[in-house]
Structures are given as C-alpha cells and as structure tokens.
Amino acid sequence: MSAMGWDIMKFGARADGATLNTAAIQNAIAACHASGGGRVTCGPGVYRTGSLRLKSGVDLHLEPGCRLVGSTDLADYADFEAPGAHPERSPEKSSKSLIRAWDAEDIAITRRYFTNQGTPYSESSFFQSDSYVVELLIKPDQN
C-alpha cells in the first residue's frame, strides 16, 4: 500500500456521533483506491455510518479515539449483492453489513495503538490479533 493518506474529514465527515458519514467515508475510500491505494484515516471522534465497501489497496486506519458506529436506521445499509454471496446462510440471515469487501485485495483495517487485556499493540491489523472492532467471518461456499 502507498504511503499516501486520505483524511475522511477532508471529504466532509463530522466526528459528532450524529451526522451520517457514509458518503464522506466511502468517497475517501474511492479516491484512495482510484489513486492506487494508501491509507484512509479516521481521526478521533465518533463517526456514524451505514454500509462501507473497502476497495483494493485501501487501509482503513482508525486513529486513537476513533469510533465507527453503525447507524440504527436499516435504510442506511446497502444489500450485499456480491457474486457468490449467500446472505440466507449467514447467522443473521441478512444481506446488510457495516464493512464489506469483494473483488478486492491488499486491504486492511488498522489502528495505531490499542490494548488487548493490557497488552499493547502498535500498527496492528484487527484481523491479526485477539482484539478487533470488525469481525471477519469466512465461510466456505456451500453450494
């Protein structure tokens, strides 16, 4: 991934916990991807969002104090209609999710610093530790 960075605030995000930031965050992800990849940065604050789609080459980076909060309005979540997706087989029987990716490679959700029961981690991927914000559930295709 490139060292270039895209701050979601520059795309109109507001860290007030009330503003729906889906479009601002998704636009930052799209700009990052279109430029060949890099880091999309979410600074301190609470960002309410609906469905986000990660794209190739994008590191969604959560700075200390950042919280991505899912909207309570189901209308803010797009249906997951990727080829081969089977939402009826998911535990929730739902086609809606907060963060998703398909047809993508070299993606990450990272945080500069967080703790796992008192043990510090630095520049860690949530998918590589026991402490994470987004759970990645991989199931074999059951045709």
Side-chain angles (χ1 to χ4, degrees):
M1 289 184 205
S2 159
M4 288 190 67
W6 288 263
D7 184 340
I8 64 170
M9 299 293 273
K10 292 181 180 175
F11 289 82
R14 301 187 74 187
D16 59 14
T19 303
L20 185 64
N21 291 292
T22 310
I25 298 169
Q26 193 62 57
N27 288 340
I29 290 169
C32 176
H33 169 74
S35 295
R39 175 172 278 182
V40 172
T41 303
C42 303
V46 179
Y47 301 91
R48 189 168 67 93
T49 185
S51 294
L52 298 170
R53 179 180 176 190
L54 288 182
K55 296 187 174 196
S56 291
V58 175
D59 169 9
L60 182 61
H61 184 73
L62 311 179
E63 289 289 329
C66 171
R67 286 181 51 212
L68 290 181
V69 177
S71 171
T72 57
D73 185 350
L74 226 71
D76 294 332
Y77 297 88
D79 286 323
F80 187 60
E81 297 177 350
H86 298 282
E88 70 279 3
R89 295 182 186 158
S90 73
E92 301 82 16
K93 307 282 188 259
S94 174
S95 63
K96 302 189 183 294
S97 62
L98 184 63
I99 299 176
R100 76 261 314 265
W102 70 91
D103 196 25
E105 59 187 22
D106 195 21
I107 61 173
I109 301 172
T110 59
R111 187 166 191 154
R112 175 169 293 152
Y113 180 85
F114 64 95
T115 63
N116 178 18
Q117 300 176 12
T119 305
Y121 291 84
S122 179
E123 289 293 331
S124 298
S125 168
F126 287 107
F127 302 127
Q128 297 175 355
S129 74
D130 294 332
S131 180
Y132 47 81
V133 170
V134 178
E135 181 176 1
L136 178 62
L137 179 61
I138 300 174
K139 291 184 181 180
D141 191 17
Q142 302 170 359
N143 289 323

